[in-house]
Amino acid sequence: MHRTIFDTPGVNSAFRALSAAVLRLSGWKVEGHLPPEAAKCVIIAAPHTSNWDLPYTLMVAFVLNLNIHWMGKWQIFRAPFGGLMRWLGGIAVRRETSTNLVAASAQALVDAKGPVQLIVPPEGTRSKVRYWKTGFYYIALNAQVPIVLAYLDYPRKVGGLGPVFHPTGDIERDMRTIKAFYADIRGRNADQFDAQA
């Protein structure tokens, strides 16, 4: 995993204080914490319905003192912003050529020295989707790390970390359990997210 703002001493502390202040002034609260057994994990970022999800997710991650990397479509990594996006923890994904992405991501988690959290939006896009993508599940399963259920609930202005889930290999049952957690959580554009799909 490449170096990011989250593991840059000094800068990290400054952005943590700034993020806490911005969230507080805008009326947002942060809930939850990352337990020690989930220091290496896959974090679901849901619902993902707006461009605002990224800045809020980054601020919540700073407040919770996480060391995140996140997956985003390759277009947002084009010049002149590519270097900044990578420093903010971004990993460019080309969906049309990402056949090895699950195996590579799982291996990166295994090889990482120290705590690291990989954020994956299960919808794979801000647009309304019928079904969640399952890459996040197989990354966690292959890396033998837990899945942490993270959220941004815009009506309540609350973001944070929910339960820690250990995948069993029974994906149909596990996905029902995971999606049940998101049933009452609403994104910025709530009509674009269906936790039951």
Side-chain angles (χ1 to χ4, degrees):
M1 301 268 184
H2 58 272
R3 189 163 193 69
T4 72
I5 193 172
F6 293 95
D7 58 11
T8 303
V11 177
N12 177 294
S13 300
F15 272 89
R16 186 175 308 123
L18 178 62
S19 296
V22 169
L23 288 171
R24 185 172 59 253
L25 290 171
S26 57
W28 278 78
K29 292 182 287 188
V30 177
E31 297 177 337
H33 69 283
L34 191 69
E37 69 270 17
K40 275 189 186 183
C41 66
V42 171
I43 295 180
I44 297 178
H48 181 37
T49 65
S50 165
N51 285 334
W52 284 102
D53 295 343
L54 179 58
Y56 280 119
T57 296
L58 294 176
M59 288 189 287
V60 169
F62 275 119
V63 170
L64 292 172
N65 200 24
L66 304 180
N67 181 26
I68 66 165
H69 290 263
W70 49 272
M71 293 184 176
K73 61 183 180 180
W74 68 270
Q75 290 94 332
I76 66 173
F77 291 85
R78 290 186 291 205
F81 301 111
L84 173 63
M85 289 297 183
R86 282 184 282 277
W87 192 51
L88 290 173
I91 299 170
V93 174
R94 288 182 180 265
R95 293 189 190 102
E96 65 278 9
T97 59
S98 60
T99 53
N100 233 5
L101 186 61
V102 168
S105 299
Q107 192 59 51
L109 280 172
V110 170
D111 294 343
K113 307 299 182 196
V116 64
Q117 301 85 44
L118 179 63
I119 296 181
V120 184
E123 301 107 311
T125 177
R126 295 181 318 271
S127 305
K128 185 173 178 65
V129 295
R130 181 75 182 103
Y131 299 104
W132 281 13
K133 297 182 182 301
T134 56
F136 76 89
Y137 183 89
Y138 288 108
I139 291 169
L141 193 66
N142 292 347
Q144 298 183 345
V145 299
I147 298 167
V148 177
L149 312 186
Y151 56 92
L152 291 171
D153 192 348
Y154 280 81
R156 293 191 304 130
K157 286 193 169 184
V158 176
L161 301 178
V164 175
F165 183 84
H166 296 272
T168 67
D170 183 342
I171 188 168
E172 289 186 14
R173 186 182 66 185
D174 288 355
M175 289 293 275
R176 283 195 300 270
T177 302
I178 290 168
K179 288 181 177 184
F181 171 77
Y182 291 97
D184 296 323
I185 293 174
R186 300 288 175 261
R188 184 176 175 89
N189 299 306
D191 60 326
Q192 292 176 206
F193 178 72
D194 182 2
Q196 304 310 313

